[in-house]
Amino acid sequence: MNIVVIGAGYVGLVTGTCFAELGNHVTCVDVNKEKIANLKKGILPIYEPGLDTLVATNLAEGRLHFVTSLKEVTSEPHIIFIAVGTPSDKDGSADMQYVLEAAKNIGAHIKHYCVVVDKSTVPVGVADQVKNMIQDGLKKRKVKTKFDMVSNPEFLREGAAIDDFMRPDRIIIGLTSKKAKSIMLELYTPIVRQPEKMYFMSVKDAEMTKYVANAMLATKISFMNEMAVLCDRLGVDVENVRLGIGSDSRIGNSFIYPGCGYGGSCFPKDVKALVKMAEMNGVDPLVLRAVEERNFHQKQVLPQKIMKKFGKDLSGIKIAVWGLSFKPGTDDMREASSIVLLDQLLARGAVVQAYDPVAMPVAKNILPKDWFKSKKLRLAEHQYDALNGADALVLVTEWKPFCYPDMAAMKKLMRQRVIFDGRNQYDPHQMKEAEFEYYGMGR
C-alpha cells in the first residue's frame, strides 16, 4: 500500500518505519525542516532501540521517504495516518491544534478515495471534527473525493515500540465503513494472524479505549505507590505484598511495582485529558484526580527521604543520581521524576552528579541552564564517575547497567555509603551485607 504518515515524532516515525519494513511504500510528513533533513540522512530525533537500523534499511530500499508537506507526496495514498502530538493545554485538556491542522491539509490535497486514520491520542468526538474539516476542505476545492474516517489508537511502549508494533497484543479499530474495515484488515494481517486480537468498534469507542487504558495503568501504579508509602510507615516490605497480590490472577503482576512516580508523554497528559473530559460532561472524576495527586506526591518521596537523612539544608552534601529518563529504554524526560528530584536537591544547596546511558543530551537541552552555570549540577561521563565523593546514590531509572553495581568500587568512590532506591531494584539484605545504608520505596 501507499501510506502517508503526518507527524514524524515518536508515534509517527515508529508507525511509518514499521509499515515500510512490512513492504509498504511510506512517506512521513513533518513541518520541521531540520528534523526531515536529518531523517533523510538517517539521523533520528528520538532514541528507540532498533529504530535507527530499520530507518536506514528502509531508506536504502526506497520504501521510506521523508517530506515537509503533503504537496511533496508523489503517490496517491491508500491510507493517511494522523500521528501528530496532542500535548496538554493550559487547562489540562488535550491540545488539538496539530490534529486539526493535519485535517485541514488533508482536505486541501487528497484527490482519490483513501482512509484517514487518527493515530494520535484524541478526546472522544475529535474524529468527527477531523472528518468535518476534511469535508470542508473538499467543498472549498469543489471536489467530491470520498474518504473514510478511522480511529486506530497506538499502544506503543517507549523502549519496546518496535516489538509492540510487530507483535501487538491487540489492535483497536473504530470505524463505520465496510470498505475501510477491509483495508484495515489487509493492512494489519501481516502482523495479526489471530482475528481475536483485532477489535472493531465505533470510532468514539476506540477514542475512549485509548484514554481508559492509560488511565487504568496509571491507576494501578498510583495505588501501589500509595501502598508503598503506607508500608514504610508500618514497617512492612512492600515487595512481599506485591508478590502476594500479584499471584491473584484478577490482579496480575503488571504495573504493581512501586516507584518514585510515573512520567513520559502518555500517562500524565492522558489522565489530565480524561479528567477534563469528565468535568466537561458533568462527571466528577474522583478516582482520576486521586491518581494525579498521588503521582504528584510520589515524586516528592525521594527528596523527603534524602532530607530526613541529611537535613533540609543540603549544603555540602553531594548526591549521585543514576537515571534521568522517565523509564529505561528511552531518552524521554517529559514529566520525569528525575526533574522533580534535581529541582528539590539543588534548591536546598546540594551538589548533584547525574548519569544516564542515553538521556544526557536531552537533559542538556531541557534542564534550566542556571543549574549548570551554578556548577551545582554536573552530568557525569560514566555511571561510576557520578559517585566520586558522593554522600549518597539515588537510583531514579532502572537501566540494566545499574542492576548489578560494583559494590567494591562504590565503597572506594563514595564519601558515605548511602543508597536511595527509587525503583526497589536492590535487595535490602544484600545492601546491608555490603555495609550500605539502604532506603527503598516501602521497604
Side-chain angles (χ1 to χ4, degrees):
M1 292 187 183
N2 292 327
I3 297 172
V4 169
V5 180
I6 301 177
Y10 183 82
V11 174
L13 188 55
V14 171
T15 299
T17 303
C18 287
F19 275 131
E21 179 69 8
L22 295 170
N24 299 287
H25 295 279
V26 180
T27 303
C28 292
V29 183
D30 198 292
V31 295
N32 188 321
K33 293 180 180 179
E34 183 181 357
K35 181 194 292 184
I36 292 299
N38 283 333
L39 283 168
K40 286 179 178 180
K41 300 173 187 174
I43 302 171
L44 276 58
I46 59 170
Y47 173 82
E48 179 62 35
L51 186 59
D52 54 351
T53 302
L54 285 186
V55 169
T57 299
N58 285 281
L59 275 171
E61 293 293 332
R63 292 190 298 264
L64 183 61
H65 307 274
F66 297 102
V67 298
T68 56
S69 73
L70 282 175
K71 290 179 183 178
E72 300 175 62
V73 177
T74 56
S75 302
E76 285 298 319
H78 299 105
I79 303 174
I80 301 176
F81 282 93
I82 298 175
V84 295
T86 55
S88 292
D89 215 335
K90 292 179 181 179
D91 63 354
S93 62
D95 185 350
M96 289 296 104
Q97 63 172 311
Y98 306 113
V99 171
L100 297 179
E101 183 64 27
K104 183 179 178 182
N105 286 329
I106 293 169
H109 288 95
I110 57 172
K111 299 174 183 176
H112 302 284
Y113 172 84
C114 66
V115 176
V116 178
V117 183
D118 239 338
K119 200 73 175 169
S120 299
T121 302
V122 298
V124 174
V126 168
D128 290 338
Q129 295 180 43
V130 170
K131 183 178 181 179
N132 292 336
M133 188 161 281
I134 295 172
Q135 287 174 335
D136 288 344
L138 295 173
K139 286 179 182 177
K140 288 179 182 178
R141 292 166 55 203
K142 296 181 180 180
V143 296
K144 296 183 179 180
T145 303
K146 293 184 179 180
F147 68 96
D148 279 312
M149 194 71 217
V150 170
S151 175
N152 175 215
E154 56 85 17
F155 296 96
L156 304 175
R157 295 169 299 163
E158 293 187 49
I162 294 171
D163 192 57
D164 285 346
F165 188 96
M166 296 298 193
R167 299 175 184 82
D169 54 11
R170 83 284 202 196
I171 301 288
I172 304 295
I173 300 176
L175 42 68
T176 57
S177 160
K178 289 182 179 179
K179 186 174 182 179
K181 183 176 181 180
S182 175
I183 291 172
M184 296 303 288
L185 275 169
E186 183 182 348
L187 179 68
Y188 278 113
T189 294
I191 57 174
V192 185
R193 299 290 184 180
Q194 300 159 287
E196 66 271 15
K197 284 191 173 185
M198 295 188 73
Y199 296 89
F200 291 95
M201 56 188 71
S202 77
V203 173
K204 288 185 176 180
D205 291 350
E207 289 172 328
M208 188 65 171
T209 299
K210 167 65 176 180
Y211 277 105
V212 174
N214 280 350
M216 184 69 243
L217 297 175
T219 300
K220 289 185 74 174
I221 293 169
S222 288
F223 175 80
M224 207 61 199
N225 281 340
E226 190 160 290
M227 292 304 100
V229 173
L230 182 57
C231 286
D232 261 335
R233 299 290 175 87
L234 297 174
V236 172
D237 189 342
V238 75
E239 283 299 291
N240 289 326
V241 176
R242 180 186 65 78
L243 291 170
I245 67 170
S247 63
D248 187 328
S249 60
R250 297 169 300 176
I251 298 172
N253 288 301
S254 298
F255 288 83
I256 59 169
Y257 289 81
C260 50
Y262 62 75
S265 63
C266 292
F267 289 2
K269 77 175 181 65
D270 289 354
V271 172
K272 286 184 176 72
L274 198 51
V275 166
K276 194 63 181 179
M277 266 191 274
E279 292 172 345
M280 290 172 67
N281 287 278
V283 175
D284 193 2
L286 300 174
V287 174
L288 292 173
R289 285 206 196 97
V291 170
E292 272 196 300
E293 189 172 356
R294 166 43 60 197
N295 194 52
F296 172 82
H297 287 292
Q298 198 67 21
K299 291 179 180 181
Q300 320 298 319
V301 172
L302 277 177
Q304 289 168 358
K305 286 178 179 286
I306 293 167
M307 286 185 281
K308 186 175 180 180
K309 165 65 180 174
F310 295 110
K312 291 185 178 181
D313 183 359
L314 297 176
S315 300
I317 299 296
K318 185 179 290 185
I319 305 291
V321 173
W322 279 359
L324 294 169
S325 58
F326 86 94
K327 62 177 282 190
T330 179
D331 60 355
D332 195 343
M333 286 184 62
R334 284 174 288 185
E335 303 280 348
S337 301
S338 62
I339 298 175
V340 176
L341 174 69
L342 294 175
D343 184 46
Q344 297 268 3
L345 296 179
L346 296 172
R348 285 164 176 76
V351 172
V352 179
Q353 299 174 158
Y355 173 80
D356 187 286
V358 302
M360 291 199 291
V362 174
K364 289 177 183 176
N365 287 328
I366 70 165
L367 295 178
K369 303 301 180 187
D370 290 346
W371 290 1
F372 297 105
K373 287 180 181 178
S374 66
K375 296 185 179 180
K376 291 290 186 179
L377 173 62
R378 182 176 75 86
L379 299 181
E381 293 183 7
H382 188 276
Q383 70 181 81
Y384 290 98
D385 290 342
L387 300 176
N388 280 323
D391 295 288
L393 164 65
V394 186
L395 178 78
V396 180
T397 315
E398 64 277 34
W399 285 94
K400 287 181 181 178
F402 303 154
C403 287
Y404 297 102
D406 185 336
M407 306 305 290
M410 292 174 69
K411 287 179 181 179
K412 291 179 181 178
L413 291 167
M414 297 177 69
R415 186 160 59 187
Q416 297 189 59
R417 298 173 184 176
V418 183
I419 294 177
F420 297 92
D421 186 353
R423 301 296 176 184
N424 286 352
Q425 184 164 264
Y426 305 127
D427 183 279
H429 303 293
Q430 290 180 354
M431 291 296 108
K432 187 175 182 181
E433 288 178 3
E435 301 177 332
F436 276 84
E437 194 174 335
Y438 176 84
Y439 300 93
M441 309 297 283
R443 303 218 70 186

